[in-house]
Amino acid sequence: MNDPRRHTWDVNIAEAMEIQRALAGLVQRSGRLENPRFVAGCDAAFTDGGACIVGALVLLSFPELEVLERRTLKEDVRMPYVPGLLSFREAPTLERLLLSLPQKPDFIMFDGHGYSHPRRLGLACHLGVRLGIPSVGVAKSILTGRIENEAGMVRGSRSWLIDARSGERLAAVLRTRDGVRPLYVSVGHMLDIEEAVRLVLECGRGRRLPEPTRLADALAAEAKRADLRAAND
DNA sequence: GCGACAG
DNA sequence: ATCTTGTCGC
């Protein structure tokens, strides 16, 4: 039997969807992390008119959240952005960055959804399964599903993102800061939703976005500017 | 057929 | 995501 985790990234839309359905069955939505020490944050930016992707990875100590590593990687874009297929566009680069680390982080936080995906295999689930590392999806907006009840306005308040058809809970709608728009926290792999929410809150430092994702986003933007600058002079 | 649609 | 200045508010 061929391990679906060994698939290629060079696929068309139909093949990508089929791969997602196969990998969705390997996602583990239960588990807790015993004394995690290292957390990785990933994000990406695009340059050269959308021809290139700049992946960014930050490694932080946990729970101190001190930056231990920052690295970026620029590559040619292979796939266009298609709702639901984000991982086929960003994961190749992010995966190379994660594999470049001397040691696996205890968990990873991604800028995007995990389980709260049409086929239950958002970016966080995809790379979590491919790498066999616990992961969490932290999205800024909804891909699929509806909000059950509006979350309270105080930090820590939460509600649920529900599947319109089954009523299944897809993600936690979490207020990570008083009065700001909520974040959509979903399971990626090897941990349950409560653990995912706990980790996101513990990685918060007064901002809407948790540090891993926030710093990765800033790093991607920084690398993009540096590259753009080097191209001119 | 008509909307919705992570980054 | 990206294109883009100033501006309203804490």
Side-chain angles (χ1 to χ4, degrees):
Chain A
M1 301 162 74
N2 302 307
D3 188 334
R5 290 171 297 183
R6 303 272 158 59
H7 76 80
T8 324
W9 290 114
D10 183 35
V11 298
N12 57 44
I13 293 181
E15 299 171 326
M17 293 178 76
E18 200 43 58
I19 288 172
Q20 294 184 319
R21 285 187 268 271
L23 287 177
L26 300 182
V27 174
Q28 293 180 213
R29 291 188 297 137
S30 64
R32 300 272 159 146
L33 271 44
E34 28 68 47
N35 191 41
R37 299 291 305 287
F38 306 101
V39 53
C42 294
D43 192 21
F46 295 83
T47 44
D48 304 337
C52 295
I53 176 175
V54 177
L57 165 64
V58 294
L59 182 66
L60 313 177
S61 60
F62 186 92
E64 302 78 14
L65 306 184
E66 296 181 340
V67 180
L68 303 176
E69 199 82 50
R70 334 162 72 214
R71 43 185 77 183
T72 62
L73 176 59
K74 179 185 180 185
E75 301 184 315
D76 291 333
V77 163
R78 297 191 179 195
M79 300 210 58
Y81 168 68
V82 178
L85 301 183
L86 178 68
S87 59
F88 287 86
R89 181 175 168 76
E90 303 189 347
T93 303
L94 300 182
E95 181 175 65
R96 268 184 275 287
L97 280 168
L98 288 161
L99 290 174
S100 77
L101 292 173
Q103 184 188 310
K104 284 187 178 182
D106 295 312
F107 69 101
I108 311 169
M109 281 183 48
F110 290 96
D111 188 355
H113 290 92
Y115 189 71
S116 38
H117 175 279
R119 288 166 294 285
R120 308 295 181 264
L121 194 89
L123 174 63
C125 295
H126 201 153
L127 281 183
V129 169
R130 294 245 322 175
L131 302 170
I133 299 176
S135 62
V136 180
V138 181
K140 300 183 290 297
S141 62
I142 299 172
L143 204 209
T144 186
R146 58 165 290 261
I147 295 178
E148 184 174 58
N149 294 120
E150 186 180 332
M153 292 305 273
V154 178
R155 169 185 159 81
S157 299
R158 69 174 87 162
S159 178
W160 299 105
L161 182 64
I162 304 297
D163 180 272
R165 301 192 60 182
S166 67
E168 176 184 25
R169 289 176 173 178
L170 304 177
V173 179
L174 182 66
R175 192 82 62 183
T176 52
R177 212 190 146 176
D178 293 16
V180 303
R181 284 175 300 151
L183 247 33
Y184 302 89
V185 180
S186 59
V187 168
H189 189 45
M190 302 172 81
L191 40 72
D192 59 43
I193 188 61
E194 286 307 318
E195 184 72 328
V197 168
R198 194 208 79 179
L199 293 171
V200 168
L201 288 175
E202 285 193 32
C203 282
R205 285 297 182 278
R207 304 272 190 166
R208 179 162 90 118
L209 297 179
E211 292 302 272
T213 289
R214 188 179 74 77
L215 295 176
D217 178 85
L219 176 56
E222 179 190 305
K224 175 180 175 177
R225 295 193 309 261
D227 184 75
L228 189 60
R229 169 178 189 176
N232 287 307
D233 57 38

